[in-house]
Amino acid sequence: MVDDTPDWLRRMWRLPEPEARRGRPAGLTTDRVVDTAVQLADRGGLDAATLPKVAKALDVTAMSLYRHVGSKRELVELMVDYATSPPPPADTGDGDWRTALADWAQALWDLYGARPWLLRAPIHGAPSGPSQLAWLEQALAAFSHTDLSAKEKVMYAMLVSGYVRQSALMSHDLGEGLDDSETQSEREHRYGHDMLGLIDRARFPELSALFESDAFDQPVVPTETTLRKDFRDGLDTILDGIARRVER
């Protein structure tokens, strides 16, 4: 039987090469290349993990890396799966899909917070690596006691995953833009005050009403608290919508 598994999937799942291609063991391994790239990204972001920089860190030529990664795109895909730690254990035995999915979403949001460069990695297709599939498996398992179809389970898992990713990206960017002595709640308060003094009430009546309200006059709290609350409020709104579908 011919093994026609694509090379990139073979490397993603750490499968051995076909016997016909085996030769003298290489000095490098895929895991070593990817681990080095992940360490560079952890220190300097995704742009710090280019093939030339990885080769330099390993003291090898960039060309020698192509035995283990087919391209920069493949390297990033391998890095994402390698750096995606397994989801925490979940208990879905009582059928509480909402709590299970909310815990899953929070854990994913925390993962992005620990490694924000994951948010900058392009998405070229459906998850294919073992770590990413483990996260998808757990999200689908949250719905195991419902009457949802397989298509609906995937759709809602992707809906929540997309929200988590975008929320984490925005939270990271907002946090990066703050001064050392400034909190997100203080910046929001100043934003509302500044905008109210600039906009034309006749042109922007809804925004004027917003800036005149107490929406931006919240207590000063740590930025992490503000961003986490905003994340959970948005997540609850999405879960409310899914709950209506599940009940129907």
Side-chain angles (χ1 to χ4, degrees), residues 162-178:
Y163 166 72
V164 173
R165 183 183 179 92
Q166 184 57 38
S167 176
L169 178 61
M170 183 175 295
S171 296
H172 177 261
D173 289 350
L174 288 172
E176 287 287 291
L178 295 174

PDB file of all heavy atoms in Angstrom, residues 162-178:
ATOM      1  N   GLY A 162     -13.604  31.923  17.154  1.00  0.00           N
ATOM      2  CA  GLY A 162     -13.332  33.176  16.452  1.00  0.00           C
ATOM      3  C   GLY A 162     -13.470  34.376  17.366  1.00  0.00           C
ATOM      4  O   GLY A 162     -12.661  35.316  17.305  1.00  0.00           O
ATOM      5  N   TYR A 163     -14.477  34.347  18.241  1.00  0.00           N
ATOM      6  CA  TYR A 163     -14.639  35.447  19.183  1.00  0.00           C
ATOM      7  C   TYR A 163     -13.463  35.512  20.143  1.00  0.00           C
ATOM      8  O   TYR A 163     -12.928  36.591  20.436  1.00  0.00           O
ATOM      9  CB  TYR A 163     -15.945  35.292  19.968  1.00  0.00           C
ATOM     10  CG  TYR A 163     -15.998  36.209  21.170  1.00  0.00           C
ATOM     11  CD1 TYR A 163     -16.163  37.580  21.007  1.00  0.00           C
ATOM     12  CD2 TYR A 163     -15.828  35.719  22.462  1.00  0.00           C
ATOM     13  CE1 TYR A 163     -16.171  38.441  22.100  1.00  0.00           C
ATOM     14  CE2 TYR A 163     -15.839  36.566  23.558  1.00  0.00           C
ATOM     15  CZ  TYR A 163     -16.011  37.933  23.378  1.00  0.00           C
ATOM     16  OH  TYR A 163     -16.003  38.780  24.459  1.00  0.00           O
ATOM     17  N   VAL A 164     -13.035  34.354  20.651  1.00  0.00           N
ATOM     18  CA  VAL A 164     -11.915  34.328  21.600  1.00  0.00           C
ATOM     19  C   VAL A 164     -10.671  34.909  20.944  1.00  0.00           C
ATOM     20  O   VAL A 164      -9.966  35.736  21.540  1.00  0.00           O
ATOM     21  CB  VAL A 164     -11.640  32.882  22.071  1.00  0.00           C
ATOM     22  CG1 VAL A 164     -10.368  32.838  22.927  1.00  0.00           C
ATOM     23  CG2 VAL A 164     -12.820  32.351  22.871  1.00  0.00           C
ATOM     24  N   ARG A 165     -10.402  34.492  19.725  1.00  0.00           N
ATOM     25  CA  ARG A 165      -9.199  34.953  19.030  1.00  0.00           C
ATOM     26  C   ARG A 165      -9.227  36.462  18.825  1.00  0.00           C
ATOM     27  O   ARG A 165      -8.253  37.159  19.110  1.00  0.00           O
ATOM     28  CB  ARG A 165      -9.061  34.236  17.687  1.00  0.00           C
ATOM     29  CG  ARG A 165      -7.798  34.597  16.906  1.00  0.00           C
ATOM     30  CD  ARG A 165      -7.788  33.899  15.554  1.00  0.00           C
ATOM     31  NE  ARG A 165      -6.604  34.258  14.783  1.00  0.00           N
ATOM     32  CZ  ARG A 165      -5.460  33.582  14.789  1.00  0.00           C
ATOM     33  NH1 ARG A 165      -5.346  32.495  15.545  1.00  0.00           N
ATOM     34  NH2 ARG A 165      -4.432  33.976  14.068  1.00  0.00           N
ATOM     35  N   GLN A 166     -10.353  36.984  18.338  1.00  0.00           N
ATOM     36  CA  GLN A 166     -10.436  38.414  18.066  1.00  0.00           C
ATOM     37  C   GLN A 166     -10.407  39.220  19.357  1.00  0.00           C
ATOM     38  O   GLN A 166      -9.763  40.283  19.437  1.00  0.00           O
ATOM     39  CB  GLN A 166     -11.714  38.722  17.286  1.00  0.00           C
ATOM     40  CG  GLN A 166     -11.855  40.179  16.873  1.00  0.00           C
ATOM     41  CD  GLN A 166     -10.689  40.677  16.035  1.00  0.00           C
ATOM     42  OE1 GLN A 166     -10.179  39.925  15.193  1.00  0.00           O
ATOM     43  NE2 GLN A 166     -10.267  41.912  16.239  1.00  0.00           N
ATOM     44  N   SER A 167     -11.065  38.732  20.398  1.00  0.00           N
ATOM     45  CA  SER A 167     -11.064  39.425  21.684  1.00  0.00           C
ATOM     46  C   SER A 167      -9.659  39.451  22.276  1.00  0.00           C
ATOM     47  O   SER A 167      -9.213  40.474  22.807  1.00  0.00           O
ATOM     48  CB  SER A 167     -12.030  38.740  22.645  1.00  0.00           C
ATOM     49  OG  SER A 167     -11.975  39.330  23.927  1.00  0.00           O
ATOM     50  N   ALA A 168      -8.956  38.311  22.188  1.00  0.00           N
ATOM     51  CA  ALA A 168      -7.598  38.253  22.730  1.00  0.00           C
ATOM     52  C   ALA A 168      -6.663  39.174  21.958  1.00  0.00           C
ATOM     53  O   ALA A 168      -5.795  39.830  22.545  1.00  0.00           O
ATOM     54  CB  ALA A 168      -7.086  36.818  22.690  1.00  0.00           C
ATOM     55  N   LEU A 169      -6.838  39.239  20.642  1.00  0.00           N
ATOM     56  CA  LEU A 169      -6.003  40.114  19.817  1.00  0.00           C
ATOM     57  C   LEU A 169      -6.233  41.573  20.180  1.00  0.00           C
ATOM     58  O   LEU A 169      -5.283  42.353  20.365  1.00  0.00           O
ATOM     59  CB  LEU A 169      -6.306  39.876  18.337  1.00  0.00           C
ATOM     60  CG  LEU A 169      -5.549  40.748  17.329  1.00  0.00           C
ATOM     61  CD1 LEU A 169      -4.045  40.526  17.451  1.00  0.00           C
ATOM     62  CD2 LEU A 169      -6.015  40.457  15.911  1.00  0.00           C
ATOM     63  N   MET A 170      -7.498  41.957  20.317  1.00  0.00           N
ATOM     64  CA  MET A 170      -7.811  43.340  20.674  1.00  0.00           C
ATOM     65  C   MET A 170      -7.305  43.663  22.083  1.00  0.00           C
ATOM     66  O   MET A 170      -6.750  44.741  22.324  1.00  0.00           O
ATOM     67  CB  MET A 170      -9.311  43.580  20.584  1.00  0.00           C
ATOM     68  CG  MET A 170      -9.731  45.009  20.875  1.00  0.00           C
ATOM     69  SD  MET A 170     -11.504  45.286  20.615  1.00  0.00           S
ATOM     70  CE  MET A 170     -11.629  45.028  18.842  1.00  0.00           C
ATOM     71  N   SER A 171      -7.477  42.718  23.015  1.00  0.00           N
ATOM     72  CA  SER A 171      -7.022  42.946  24.380  1.00  0.00           C
ATOM     73  C   SER A 171      -5.513  43.142  24.425  1.00  0.00           C
ATOM     74  O   SER A 171      -5.001  44.018  25.129  1.00  0.00           O
ATOM     75  CB  SER A 171      -7.425  41.764  25.274  1.00  0.00           C
ATOM     76  OG  SER A 171      -8.824  41.664  25.370  1.00  0.00           O
ATOM     77  N   HIS A 172      -4.794  42.328  23.657  1.00  0.00           N
ATOM     78  CA  HIS A 172      -3.339  42.449  23.628  1.00  0.00           C
ATOM     79  C   HIS A 172      -2.923  43.792  23.055  1.00  0.00           C
ATOM     80  O   HIS A 172      -2.048  44.474  23.600  1.00  0.00           O
ATOM     81  CB  HIS A 172      -2.729  41.314  22.805  1.00  0.00           C
ATOM     82  CG  HIS A 172      -1.245  41.407  22.670  1.00  0.00           C
ATOM     83  ND1 HIS A 172      -0.633  41.920  21.543  1.00  0.00           N
ATOM     84  CD2 HIS A 172      -0.237  41.086  23.521  1.00  0.00           C
ATOM     85  CE1 HIS A 172       0.676  41.899  21.711  1.00  0.00           C
ATOM     86  NE2 HIS A 172       0.946  41.399  22.888  1.00  0.00           N
ATOM     87  N   ASP A 173      -3.543  44.182  21.939  1.00  0.00           N
ATOM     88  CA  ASP A 173      -3.176  45.446  21.305  1.00  0.00           C
ATOM     89  C   ASP A 173      -3.513  46.640  22.203  1.00  0.00           C
ATOM     90  O   ASP A 173      -2.741  47.608  22.281  1.00  0.00           O
ATOM     91  CB  ASP A 173      -3.887  45.588  19.964  1.00  0.00           C
ATOM     92  CG  ASP A 173      -3.329  44.641  18.905  1.00  0.00           C
ATOM     93  OD1 ASP A 173      -2.276  44.021  19.160  1.00  0.00           O
ATOM     94  OD2 ASP A 173      -3.952  44.507  17.831  1.00  0.00           O
ATOM     95  N   LEU A 174      -4.655  46.576  22.872  1.00  0.00           N
ATOM     96  CA  LEU A 174      -5.016  47.664  23.785  1.00  0.00           C
ATOM     97  C   LEU A 174      -4.031  47.746  24.949  1.00  0.00           C
ATOM     98  O   LEU A 174      -3.623  48.833  25.355  1.00  0.00           O
ATOM     99  CB  LEU A 174      -6.436  47.454  24.311  1.00  0.00           C
ATOM    100  CG  LEU A 174      -7.582  47.689  23.318  1.00  0.00           C
ATOM    101  CD1 LEU A 174      -8.910  47.261  23.932  1.00  0.00           C
ATOM    102  CD2 LEU A 174      -7.643  49.148  22.890  1.00  0.00           C
ATOM    103  N   GLY A 175      -3.649  46.595  25.473  1.00  0.00           N
ATOM    104  CA  GLY A 175      -2.703  46.588  26.576  1.00  0.00           C
ATOM    105  C   GLY A 175      -1.339  47.103  26.176  1.00  0.00           C
ATOM    106  O   GLY A 175      -0.670  47.808  26.931  1.00  0.00           O
ATOM    107  N   GLU A 176      -0.914  46.749  24.936  1.00  0.00           N
ATOM    108  CA  GLU A 176       0.381  47.202  24.444  1.00  0.00           C
ATOM    109  C   GLU A 176       0.421  48.711  24.262  1.00  0.00           C
ATOM    110  O   GLU A 176       1.482  49.332  24.362  1.00  0.00           O
ATOM    111  CB  GLU A 176       0.700  46.523  23.101  1.00  0.00           C
ATOM    112  CG  GLU A 176       1.059  45.056  23.211  1.00  0.00           C
ATOM    113  CD  GLU A 176       2.435  44.848  23.790  1.00  0.00           C
ATOM    114  OE1 GLU A 176       3.427  45.177  23.123  1.00  0.00           O
ATOM    115  OE2 GLU A 176       2.520  44.355  24.930  1.00  0.00           O
ATOM    116  N   GLY A 177      -0.730  49.315  23.990  1.00  0.00           N
ATOM    117  CA  GLY A 177      -0.764  50.750  23.720  1.00  0.00           C
ATOM    118  C   GLY A 177      -0.830  51.622  24.954  1.00  0.00           C
ATOM    119  O   GLY A 177      -0.803  52.858  24.843  1.00  0.00           O
ATOM    120  N   LEU A 178      -0.907  51.018  26.125  1.00  0.00           N
ATOM    121  CA  LEU A 178      -1.028  51.799  27.353  1.00  0.00           C
ATOM    122  C   LEU A 178       0.327  52.274  27.853  1.00  0.00           C
ATOM    123  O   LEU A 178       1.339  51.594  27.698  1.00  0.00           O
ATOM    124  CB  LEU A 178      -1.692  50.953  28.446  1.00  0.00           C
ATOM    125  CG  LEU A 178      -3.140  50.525  28.222  1.00  0.00           C
ATOM    126  CD1 LEU A 178      -3.577  49.585  29.327  1.00  0.00           C
ATOM    127  CD2 LEU A 178      -4.062  51.741  28.168  1.00  0.00           C
TER     128      LEU A 178
END
